[in-house]
Amino acid sequence: MFILTTIQDLIQIKPQDFSLPSAQAIKDVVNEKYSNKIVPGIGLCICMWDLLSSTEGLIGHGTGLVNVNIEFRMAVFRPFRGEIIYGRIKTSNEDGITIDLDFTSEVFIPYQNLFENSSFSKAENVWVWNSDGTELFLDKGEPVLFRVEQEEWIDQRPTIVQKDEEGNVIEERGTAWRVIGSMNQAGLGPTLWWGEQEEEEGEEGDVEMEEAEE
């Protein structure tokens, strides 16, 4: 789920950070620039892991900023295809389900990747799986397991953010990357489903054992 990616970059250290140890100043700049940012072809950057190399700083003309060429490793969230990940249902609509992983919600389960005989309930605003006549709800906040199917990269173009008369944003810029998952195999979906099934199977096994002893 998490990988280390090597990145080379030119960073600038501000004069007010000159009192810090150089390694700490570099780390602060890198985390401010990359943490919680999506880098095309790399994934969602979490934080700087370590510094591999750096050049001597050169003071920029007229700015006072120190320019440093560095090479570092960044901890990145980029799951592999087929990986099983734990999360919680954040929102649902007719297109599918958005999963929250605490540090990101860039995970989407299209309705095509849910169990067969699943339908969206507009009244409850949730997806429901009809399993042999039993309705199982995929409620908001429910802990789930999902399988990673693919990554989706979306080209971002400069856009003018639209606001209403009060200054509230009415159109937000979409995400540049998200994970597409599935919940249509045994063991996937709300963990409560399969926990209850195991308990029922265990109780049936106990009954059979008791009958055999009798």
Side-chain angles (χ1 to χ4, degrees), residues 59-191:
I59 299 177
H61 179 69
T63 65
L65 299 174
V66 173
N67 300 299
V68 183
N69 283 300
I70 63 171
E71 183 177 21
F72 62 96
R73 290 193 296 175
M74 173 69 65
V76 176
F77 171 67
R78 192 174 184 182
F80 57 85
R81 184 176 182 180
E83 184 174 2
I84 305 299
I85 299 179
Y86 173 91
R88 291 181 180 274
I89 296 176
K90 182 179 181 180
T91 58
S92 300
N93 57 34
E94 294 180 350
D95 294 326
I97 298 174
T98 299
I99 304 296
D100 180 41
L101 301 181
D102 291 334
F103 58 90
T104 182
S105 298
E106 302 299 343
V107 179
F108 186 68
I109 314 295
Y111 70 90
Q112 302 96 325
N113 292 352
L114 297 175
F115 283 102
E116 188 177 354
N117 297 325
S118 293
S119 59
F120 184 70
S121 171
K122 292 184 178 180
E124 300 288 342
N125 203 36
V126 299
W127 280 89
V128 183
W129 177 32
N130 189 328
S131 175
D132 297 328
T134 301
E135 290 188 337
L136 301 175
F137 290 78
L138 289 87
D139 294 317
K140 180 179 179 180
E142 193 77 32
V144 296
L145 291 174
F146 67 93
R147 182 181 187 271
V148 176
E149 297 298 339
Q150 66 183 69
E151 296 175 293
E152 187 177 72
W153 295 94
I154 305 168
D155 291 335
Q156 294 291 292
R157 299 178 180 178
T159 57
I160 298 176
V161 178
Q162 296 186 12
K163 297 183 179 181
D164 58 22
E165 296 178 355
E166 298 179 356
N168 298 317
V169 176
I170 58 177
E171 182 178 345
E172 297 183 355
R173 191 175 185 179
T175 181
W177 169 83
R178 65 178 179 176
V179 174
I180 303 298
S182 66
M183 294 193 298
N184 55 6
Q185 298 178 5
L188 301 183
T191 56

